Amino acid sequence: MSKPVKERERIVVRFAGDSGDGMQLTGDRFTSATAVLGNDLATLPDFPAEIRAPAGTVHGVSAFQIQFASSDITTPGDHADVLVAMNPAALKADLETVARGGVLVLNEDSFTQRNIEKAGYTADPTQDGTLDGYQVYKVPMTSITVRATEDIGIGKKEAERAKNLFALGLVSWMFGRPTETTLGWLEKKFGSRQEIFDANVAAFKAGYHFGETTELFAESYKVEAAPQAPGTYRNIDGATALAWGLIAASQRSGLPLLYASYPITPASELLHELSRHKNFGVVTIQAEDEIAAANIALGAAFSGQLAVTGTSGPGVDLKAETVGLAVIMELPMIIVDVQRAGPSTGMPTKTEQADLLLAMYGRHGESPLPIVAASTSSECFSAAIEAARIAVRYRTPVILLSDTFLANSSEPWQIPDVENLPEIDPAFATPNGADFLPYSRDDKLARPWAVPGTPGLVHRIGGLERQDGTGNISYDAANHELMTRLRQAKVDGIADDIPPLDVEDPSGGADLLVLGWGSSLGTITASVARARANGQKVATAHLRHLNPFPANTGEVVRKYPKVLIPEMNMGQLAALIRAKFLVDAQSYTKVQGLPIFAEELEREIARVLDE
Amino acid sequence: MSDVVQNGGQAPGDAAPTLTKKDFTSDQEPRWCPGCGDYAILSTVQAFMPELGIEPHKTVFVSGIGCSGRFSYYMDTYGMHGIHGRAPALATGIAVANPELSVWVVTGDGDGLSLGGNHLIHALRRNVDIKILLFNNQIYGLTKGQYSPTSEEGKVTKSTPFGSVDHPFNPIALALGVEATFVARTLDNDRQHLTEVLRRAAQHKGTAFVEIYQNCNVFNDGAFDLLREKSQGKHNQIRLEEGQPIVFDDGNRCVRIGDNGRYEIAATAETEPASIVVHDPHGRPSLAFALAHLSHGPDEPSAIGVFHEIERPVYGQAIQHQLQAATERLGAGDLGALLHSGDTWTVE
């Protein structure tokens, strides 16, 4: 006798536990199964800053949130419909994320007096009314897992550790997720270690059967597959997408990729991922510091490679002088900034988008460079290729902005056909018998890229101001003004080489334009959809090029009576838009280390329209 | 004695390029102060480079900020005049990207041992195939006379009018301490000695560290006079020659193993011949380290020549081997396969 199944359009599930409880793994596996089933999805891993805070404390809670639906969704959800809490600390930390009336699945075995106190509760929250208004399910996950694995020859600690697979099994049953994906993955990962494999499978199945069999859960849910255009898909996170985009740019340009960086949260994954692909000719160098990384990349750029250095905010600070050198040397180089909450050390594992003005102005002197920003996890792939295209074509360093949220969260991605990816032509300088002029320029104001080893093009470059054309050191007054303006004009001219800003305005006469950049896209899409459903006339536009802006940007922002710019900073894009276009753009700012939520932006849109 | 290849980079049957000093001399007129030691170094380097048989277009000079930084403009090769202290890092990128190039770094006691210290020590540790020439004049010349990390204690300068309270580095000992595989010292105006050291450095596989005592006649004139052969060198230069007992001062003084195994300078006449140290730059650096510490600085008899020379895997080559091994094991990278790797699903 099977239980009734309720259909839902969308669900937000959040897994939370101790850092050592395997919540990220559980979340990843649930995501895989969900992707295979065909739901649209978005994920948000929520890591603590410390590697292993004291077990059972709120500081060590690690969570993974996923929203999945039978329709198009663009955010991981403002609130959780279901919270799986592996211990009291997880409950304490994450209860506030759960929607009113939401489901709480608690690991009953871990709600001991000691753990309850360690979490900072004065009394047992399951007894004292704290959880009134939620649907609470207390499941003895640890003890069932231990019992399920008792015939397999592993120790008690190992057995207890498998409780995350129990949780995964239970939640997989709750939402009708296919089990083959998880079982297949376990086989691949643990197939060679029989006992570990058997224990994890047993735990997973125990969780699944628990849901199916016990009377605790009266019903399960199903969320149908979302309509997707024909094609082949995979789930991808921003870090992987960005790394693969760089490899794609290397392949499509014929330039060997050299990635030099220094480990820093949340950019280290780029280094790890790229370091695995040596059979693509990718050289990765873990430099002694951030500045060395930038200089090693710049030296490789001089030598004719696709040179990249990746970091987060603190590293961009350190690289500033070197990036300025790249600007005056006019060499192609990509600086990836995976933004995180600042200032200074800030909150290393929390997201923010507050490095825009740093990217624009963060070098002394007049030091312009192009800026590209990814808007979704999967878009990190094409953003990387675009950054490479601009860097190579214009012989310039380019700053590519991503953020913690994009890097860590994942979504389905229609895999592009490699043949359709843009080609990039390095157009190296070749000797033509005449004297070589390293600072001559083509119609895009780009100078020749003359690579050491090439006869007939021997020249010297450096950080001192150089004479237009010859590239000799020059202190001439008129020359410095000319070169300063040329460097600016070169970057400005890129506006003719990028797509116009696309505006979506179904009403045709919107009263408000919501303008965004970076990872706020998902939230803007969701909140504006709700606003439109409420009859409001709202237009949206999203910038992927922050310098230069697309050529029609001024026209766009001047067209609407009101312009609202939501950002996870104190109004940085707004400052640029206001300064350049003299429009009274309004900011909605959030600096909490969290994405902007759709419902808070929906409220703000309504408020602004009412003004 | 050198076994330098005269035919570098040429296919058999091609005429060897007859390179001359002129081929390595750019059209830029050097603008150092008259009497600067850099002129002599420049001239010697320009005269030496043809011997390598490597054409100028396959050669790169990378310099930093300082008077030494201007060096790259005067060599008619590819060159990068980088920012302060970063030349070893720039050079690492160049050398790794193209192992066929002959890559030279010109730096100074400020550029290399102060702001650039970190990059210098890591380049030495990694054994990148670059030749580092550090012009040590024990002062900051370009910025007009502040003390440097190699200036002696108590030195009165623009920024230390009461005398410096800093203790100086011993660059040779430092290089040895950070695992350098080739460490040498020479003098700016000893053309023959400088040439021989450059030759040994160029032959070395990996990073070569060459400290060149260089006279800044405007801000620190005469710092190395004690070691100058014309005036007093014969008495104070301890010339290291592989396989030779270390004697100097016309043979009157020697380096011997003294009490507790420490090396010391002594009168040859009062020394058992068996306890005179025979120079051996190979093997562990402890001998070289002891020689580096024979003196506190160039105001005492000091060793010059090749202190240390060993072989270790070269950084850029190790990287290339890894790329090749990975390609052999996994096959050349297939972008389409990569994008489709892992879990995928198809919607019809």
Side-chain angles (χ1 to χ4, degrees), chain B:
Chain B
M1 65 137 281
S2 82
D3 50 5
V4 165
V5 174
Q6 289 290 343
N7 212 13
Q10 295 297 305
D14 284 0
T18 318
L19 298 167
T20 66
K21 177 176 177 178
K22 199 155 174 295
D23 294 318
F24 287 90
T25 305
S26 82
D27 62 358
Q28 298 295 296
E29 200 190 312
R31 293 201 227 149
W32 292 309
C33 307
C36 173
D38 287 352
Y39 285 102
I41 301 173
L42 177 67
S43 175
T44 306
V45 171
Q46 286 167 336
F48 163 73
M49 292 302 288
E51 186 184 309
L52 294 178
I54 300 171
E55 285 157 297
H57 69 263
K58 290 188 179 151
T59 308
V60 188
F61 272 80
V62 185
S63 56
I65 301 294
C67 295
S68 66
R70 300 303 176 106
F71 198 95
S72 56
Y73 291 116
Y74 309 138
M75 298 297 297
D76 198 9
T77 64
Y78 281 93
M80 264 192 140
H81 181 203
I83 45 182
H84 196 37
R86 317 298 176 193
L90 286 169
T92 297
I94 295 169
V96 167
N98 188 347
E100 308 289 309
L101 298 170
S102 175
V103 182
W104 297 74
V105 169
V106 175
T107 180
D109 42 311
D111 188 76
L113 294 173
S114 196
L115 189 141
N118 200 34
H119 305 313
L120 180 70
I121 66 174
H122 286 276
L124 295 175
R125 174 179 66 85
R126 288 193 184 106
N127 204 33
V128 187
D129 195 17
I130 58 181
K131 317 302 164 191
I132 301 175
L133 309 180
L134 189 146
F135 300 178
N136 182 8
N137 55 16
Q138 299 193 174
I139 200 76
Y140 278 29
L142 187 73
T143 47
K144 302 209 178 57
Q146 299 79 19
Y147 75 107
S148 95
T150 55
S151 302
E152 61 276 21
E153 280 180 43
K155 191 166 191 68
V156 174
T157 70
K158 289 247 178 70
S159 60
T160 56
F162 292 85
S164 159
V165 298
D166 269 38
H167 183 75
F169 274 139
N170 178 324
I172 299 293
L174 185 146
L176 292 168
V178 298
E179 311 290 340
T181 56
F182 180 99
V183 181
R185 172 191 286 145
T186 183
L187 293 161
D188 52 2
N189 69 347
D190 188 334
R191 193 176 194 95
Q192 207 182 14
H193 195 266
L194 173 55
T195 301
E196 175 58 20
V197 168
L198 290 173
R199 183 176 293 133
R200 297 277 294 278
Q203 283 168 350
H204 179 68
K205 295 182 178 53
T207 318
F209 176 77
V210 178
E211 178 189 17
I212 305 175
Y213 280 154
Q214 174 245 319
N215 192 49
C216 172
N217 60 318
V218 176
F219 295 108
N220 197 23
D221 198 19
F224 310 102
D225 278 355
L226 195 79
L227 303 177
R228 300 247 177 245
E229 193 162 275
K230 283 219 166 64
S231 48
Q232 307 171 64
K234 271 202 153 51
H235 303 293
N236 297 302
Q237 272 183 17
I238 305 172
R239 291 198 159 215
L240 303 174
E241 314 256 359
E242 179 172 351
Q244 300 298 317
I246 307 177
V247 293
F248 67 105
D249 190 10
D250 280 326
N252 292 319
R253 287 187 281 176
C254 66
V255 176
R256 73 172 180 204
I257 304 166
D259 297 335
N260 263 338
R262 288 208 182 87
Y263 291 180
E264 59 187 18
I265 292 170
T268 314
E270 294 161 18
T271 304
E272 290 284 334
S275 61
I276 299 179
V277 178
V278 174
H279 185 50
D280 175 16
H282 308 297
R284 300 216 191 140
S286 39
L287 164 53
F289 195 79
L291 293 172
H293 275 292
L294 276 177
S295 59
H296 291 115
D299 54 344
E300 295 178 354
S302 301
I304 62 170
V306 177
F307 284 72
H308 183 60
E309 185 175 13
I310 58 163
E311 276 196 21
R312 265 205 287 122
V314 176
Y315 188 66
Q317 280 176 16
I319 289 177
Q320 289 301 322
H321 287 153
Q322 277 204 338
L323 297 190
Q324 282 156 18
T327 305
E328 276 163 33
R329 193 163 49 89
L330 304 166
D334 177 340
L335 182 61
L338 177 63
L339 302 188
H340 284 83
S341 61
D343 293 332
T344 64
W345 67 95
T346 303
V347 175
E348 302 296 332

Side-chain angles (χ1 to χ4, degrees), chain A residues 410-483:
Chain A
S410 65
E411 58 171 358
W413 179 46
Q414 184 172 4
I415 304 174
D417 192 346
V418 169
E419 292 311 306
N420 293 337
L421 297 174
E423 273 189 13
I424 299 171
D425 179 13
F428 288 135
T430 51
N432 61 1
D435 277 344
F436 177 55
L437 296 171
Y439 276 77
S440 57
R441 295 178 188 279
D442 67 12
D443 61 312
K444 295 285 193 193
L445 302 180
R447 74 175 193 87
W449 192 3
V451 172
T454 314
L457 298 178
V458 168
H459 67 287
R460 273 73 55 194
I461 55 174
L464 289 167
E465 183 63 282
R466 23 244 329 120
Q467 187 183 50
D468 182 39
T470 65
N472 292 330
I473 298 173
S474 171
Y475 284 86
D476 180 75
N479 180 73
H480 178 51
E481 175 131 31
L482 172 66
M483 293 298 276

